Amino acid sequence: MKYTDFDKSAGYAGLLEIANKSEAFDFKKMLNADRVKTCQTFLAEGLVYNWAAKSVDEKVLNALQALSDELELIPKYKALLEGEVMNTGEDRKVLHQLSRSLDEKTATGISVENEGRDLGAFYRKELIRFSEFTERVRSGEIGPAPGRRFTCFAQIGIGGSDLGPRALSLALENWAAAEGKITYRAEFISNVDPDDASKISSSLPLEETLFVLVSKSGTTQETLTNELFVKEKLKNAGLDPGKHMLAVTSETSPLANNPGYLDSFYFDDFIGGRYSSTSPVGGVILSLAYGNDVFKDLLIGAASADKAALNPDITKNAALLDALIGVWERNFLKMGCTCILPYSQALSRFPAHLQQLDMESNGKRVNRDGKPISYSTGPVIFGEPGTNGQHSFFQLLHQGTDIIPLQFIGFKQSQRKDDSVIDGSTSQAKLNANLAAQITAFAIGQGSDNGNKDFPGGRPVSLIYGDRLTPQALGALLAHFENKVMFQGFIWNLNSFDQEGVQLGKVLAKKILTKAGKSSGDPVLDAYGEILGV
Amino acid sequence: MKYTDFDKSAGYAGLLEIANKSEAFDFKKMLNADRVKTCQTFLAEGLVYNWAAKSVDEKVLNALQALSDELELIPKYKALLEGEVMNTGEDRKVLHQLSRSLDEKTATGISVENEGRDLGAFYRKELIRFSEFTERVRSGEIGPAPGRRFTCFAQIGIGGSDLGPRALSLALENWAAAEGKITYRAEFISNVDPDDASKISSSLPLEETLFVLVSKSGTTQETLTNELFVKEKLKNAGLDPGKHMLAVTSETSPLANNPGYLDSFYFDDFIGGRYSSTSPVGGVILSLAYGNDVFKDLLIGAASADKAALNPDITKNAALLDALIGVWERNFLKMGCTCILPYSQALSRFPAHLQQLDMESNGKRVNRDGKPISYSTGPVIFGEPGTNGQHSFFQLLHQGTDIIPLQFIGFKQSQRKDDSVIDGSTSQAKLNANLAAQITAFAIGQGSDNGNKDFPGGRPVSLIYGDRLTPQALGALLAHFENKVMFQGFIWNLNSFDQEGVQLGKVLAKKILTKAGKSSGDPVLDAYGEILGV
């Protein structure tokens, strides 16, 4: 396998030439009903990725295919699945896809050995262990005290141990309720701000609450602080913290094999935090709250998107095409942001998860060997659910001075199927009418002699749509974006799987906390500490 | 008053010359403890705006002061307060600051007449009316039925009728609880996605819930749909919707003077949606949930920031300086985004409110007369609370290829004052140690031979800090950003108070919903409608 900086590739030069020479893509001329219905590809689990309103014509598409072939994106993905060390900075394999395997023959048909250990088997063993455990909790067999049940579950974690599981929990809650699943309350404590742990813990029925402590390293400052914070609350309520807490961690962490927890479930260094939602990090809390079958359906959906991402034909591989179009927009059309707009209230925190997934993975300025690069990498990711966003920041998206590529997500049916016909249409129809209207308005616009009412259009838009946000569809959606980010990392020749950029802040924070009234040796740091009262 | 396009001003030319000629601001050389402690100014209500880690030296500061003077930013603000038509596109005055006046002598000492009506008196009358009403509800005098009380309040609104009040409600909830105020549950229904209204309404004790319907025009599709959705639920529960719903609207709206509501409270076209949190739009729900005195304290805080924003000396006017530095970064340092990072869980949705406030106000491509402009206007605004963000997108902020200006917010004390000493420090100390550490890391960075561990620094950072997030501080913070956005709008010579960019989507959505199986006349729109099942 060859690893080349992006700007040294023939594909880069080819795309640059197209961008410099060709006239801008004319949405008004190019976008018609036929294009809307044909420029799309199957993603997985009934989801479709539609790129009709992206500024991509035959020429660009061919150049992107050539780039994908030249940079060996699919072989690189296969190498990752096979256990090649893709996290070069930390000298680690990257195996979150393997966590989706429900049987011995893993979803992608590949397993990985490490130091004589079958890692697929290890992940499956933990999946089976926590599946059984969580069902025993849900059935009441395991409870806080004889004759009592756990009715509430609260995850303590931050970053990847928080955003993904939280977004998925919100996304599954309505669906599970509508499908008649037995559901329990799931809460999340993340911030070291004491107002977070204090508010959540004071709102919980502590005697019926099971906490899930999640930290791979077992050393995350916020999470350990919040663990002790909560344990104090439990003790003050006359409860035994050991009966109210699980650990999800790595086998080598200080939290592992600790009898102070009701039970512990394991994952390892080959599953990065922001990629860990399909490991016990997401699995334990989601299984407790919504049932193990729901979580397994999510894994099936993720695995099927992983499989679909193996297709070398970019027009038949949604994650790959999405990645390539993103690079076209970022490096050649010079667009610095991407906005994620799910027209689904259930996905209200999905943009926050994708913000972490994408920006922490590809917000890098060195290549996979640590050498500086001279092209743009990961964009800023932001977004809110529609239609809410329409009444908020869409003004800038339509008529601002910068063009922001847009990524819409929509479903034909609601999750709860509780709807009313008002003024001749259901709320779901209104939601999707707005979605179709926004895409058209962004792409085509509408002229006016009044500059203030003139919509220039030309805002590139993609749409992922499906019938209904089921656990399978949600899993596919999650994996789609993980794989998109992975492919972009390959293109930019960077390591999407480490996060050295978070280290310096940790070191400096520790400096302040341990200086004990004296100087930390860094006068600027001390001065900021002083004005902030620390 | 003269209104000139920004790039035609002498100040623009001066700043451009500085930007083109001068070497980049060297944070490592410029930023020291003295600068941290002196480059700051009183904002209001104990809050301080610190710009030590902004790439602004004496020369830039002088040029910004000259720009402010030349463009008559303070006289324009005064003209706005005095009722000049600043919303040129809609031919309206802009009077949200006037909604903060608690007595006849308004906060800024100015009142406004319109067609013979004293508008200060009108806003005050409504404030008094809803203050009395909400206290009668809280005391139990007004209830859903004899002997029963309202214990739950739910706002139905979208955009400005949702994001601001929701962010403020979250920001006050902990404080009110910690101060022993009687607090009630406040919920918000906004999205036309039926899953939103269905989920919230099914979680409420309907027989004890009072809904607050908020729409200035009385024609907002989402809000009217959700009103009828909720009314159906009330009827199905055997309740009289008229006894469970208030209206907040304009006197000329179809909702006004409607006996179908328990009562109605009014504001007018001179208070834009995203500026309406200090009007009955925010006032009614916040007063119901936390008490009228809490809301009045918020108004006092906002009014005091409004007053502070009158100072023509930019080093003594936080909102003005914040605005000017933002323009320096946007137009001369070519930075396209601004990231808002409150180190306070209570402000978890404040960035979403500011995203609307800023992007809907200044995401414009024409000047106040509707003529195209050729310079960049409003940036993309995004953010999440710290320390959460540190474990998410901070990677890109530290080591990404684009520089994103950062706006931190912090407080010395927590809101709930429920804290634990763990490992020798409180959670609040850990929170602020992280905040100080991040600012230092962003501004100064840290070199390394390993490119992957190299932090270039040079990320411009401001910090707003205070003792504690009280209602007064929150009001000041809210008004600070409103005034910052207003000043930037003046600089860019645009109308920050209309939102024509949201219209086209509404028109197209209606086209689909009313086409009744036939073509809307727009084949692209129809094609998107078709794939989305509408």
Side-chain angles (χ1 to χ4, degrees), chain A residues 191 193 195 198 222 232-233 345 349 356 365 384 386 391 395 399 415-416 418 420 452 498 501, chain B residues 191 193 195 198 202 232-233 345 349 356 365 384 386 391 395 399 415-416 418 420 452 498 501:
Chain A
N191 205 330
D193 180 346
D195 286 339
S198 168
E222 286 90 339
E232 230 176 83
K233 299 283 174 200
Q345 188 63 22
R349 290 299 285 168
Q356 166 177 43
R365 50 195 287 285
E384 291 284 337
H391 295 261
Q395 164 68 41
Q399 294 189 317
Q415 277 194 319
R416 294 174 65 97
D418 174 18
S420 279
N452 203 19
D498 68 353
Chain B
N191 203 331
D193 181 344
D195 286 339
S198 168
S202 75
E232 231 175 82
K233 299 282 174 201
Q345 188 63 20
R349 289 300 284 167
Q356 164 176 47
R365 51 194 288 283
E384 291 284 337
H391 296 260
Q395 164 67 41
Q399 293 188 319
Q415 276 195 320
R416 296 175 64 99
D418 173 18
S420 279
N452 203 18
D498 67 356

Side-chain angles (χ1 to χ4, degrees), chain A residues 50-66:
Chain A
N50 184 298
W51 77 91
K54 284 290 186 184
S55 54
V56 166
D57 58 16
E58 206 57 32
K59 208 165 19 172
V60 174
L61 219 51
N62 289 337
L64 293 175
Q65 178 72 61

Side-chain angles (χ1 to χ4, degrees), chain A residues 31 36-37 53 158-159 163 173-174 190-195 198-199 202 221-222 225 228-229 232-233 330 337 344-345 349 355-356 359-360 363-366 370 375-380 382 384 386-388 390-393 395-396 398-399 401-402 404 412 414-416 418-420 422 427-430 432-434 436-437 439-440 446 451-455 465 498-502 504-505 508-509 512-513 524-525 527-528 530-532 534, chain B residues 31 36-37 53 158-159 163 173-174 190-195 198-199 202 221-222 225 228-229 232-233 330 337 344-345 349 355-356 359-360 363-366 370 375-380 382 384 386-388 390-393 395-396 398-399 401-402 404 412 414-416 418-420 422 427-430 432-434 436-437 439-440 446 451-455 465 498-502 504-505 508-509 512-513 524-525 527-528 530-532 534:
Chain A
L31 189 55
V36 172
K37 289 177 194 167
I158 195 164
L163 290 167
E173 193 184 353
N174 276 331
S190 52
N191 205 330
V192 77
D193 180 346
D195 286 339
S198 168
K199 180 182 167 188
S202 75
Q221 184 195 42
E222 286 90 339
T225 300
L228 294 175
F229 194 102
E232 230 176 83
K233 299 283 174 200
R330 176 78 171 125
C337 299
S344 163
Q345 188 63 22
R349 290 299 285 168
Q355 187 174 59
Q356 166 177 43
M359 293 173 71
E360 195 168 39
K364 309 277 166 74
R365 50 195 287 285
V366 294
Y375 41 89
S376 298
T377 59
V380 165
F382 70 103
E384 291 284 337
T387 58
N388 291 8
Q390 291 177 203
H391 295 261
S392 167
F393 56 87
Q395 164 68 41
L396 183 144
H398 280 292
Q399 294 189 317
T401 50
D402 290 353
I404 319 287
K412 290 181 195 169
S414 69
Q415 277 194 319
R416 294 174 65 97
D418 174 18
D419 205 342
S420 279
I422 289 163
S427 289
Q428 186 67 23
K430 290 187 185 76
N432 284 340
N434 273 284
I439 298 176
T440 309
Q446 190 172 71
N452 203 19
K453 295 175 198 274
D454 183 67
F455 292 79
Y465 67 95
D498 68 353
Q499 54 284 322
E500 287 296 334
V502 310
L504 177 56
L508 296 179
I512 300 187
L513 287 171
V524 169
L525 183 63
Y528 277 111
E530 199 179 305
I531 63 176
L532 286 163
V534 280
Chain B
L31 189 56
V36 172
K37 288 178 194 166
I158 195 164
L163 290 166
E173 193 184 352
N174 276 332
S190 52
N191 203 331
V192 79
D193 181 344
D195 286 339
S198 168
K199 180 182 169 189
S202 75
Q221 184 195 42
E222 286 90 340
T225 299
L228 294 176
F229 193 103
E232 231 175 82
K233 299 282 174 201
R330 176 78 171 125
C337 299
S344 163
Q345 188 63 20
R349 289 300 284 167
Q355 188 175 56
Q356 164 176 47
M359 292 174 72
E360 195 168 38
K364 308 278 165 77
R365 51 194 288 283
V366 293
Y375 41 88
S376 297
T377 59
V380 165
F382 70 102
E384 291 284 337
T387 58
N388 292 6
Q390 290 176 204
H391 296 260
S392 167
F393 55 88
Q395 164 67 41
L396 183 144
H398 280 292
Q399 293 188 319
T401 49
D402 289 352
I404 318 286
K412 289 181 197 169
S414 69
Q415 276 195 320
R416 296 175 64 99
D418 173 18
D419 206 341
S420 279
I422 290 163
S427 290
Q428 187 66 24
K430 291 186 185 78
N432 284 340
N434 273 285
I439 299 176
T440 308
Q446 191 172 70
N452 203 18
K453 295 176 196 274
D454 183 67
F455 292 79
Y465 67 95
D498 67 356
Q499 53 283 323
E500 287 296 334
V502 309
L504 177 57
L508 296 180
I512 301 187
L513 288 171
V524 169
L525 183 63
Y528 277 113
E530 199 179 305
I531 63 178
L532 287 164
V534 282

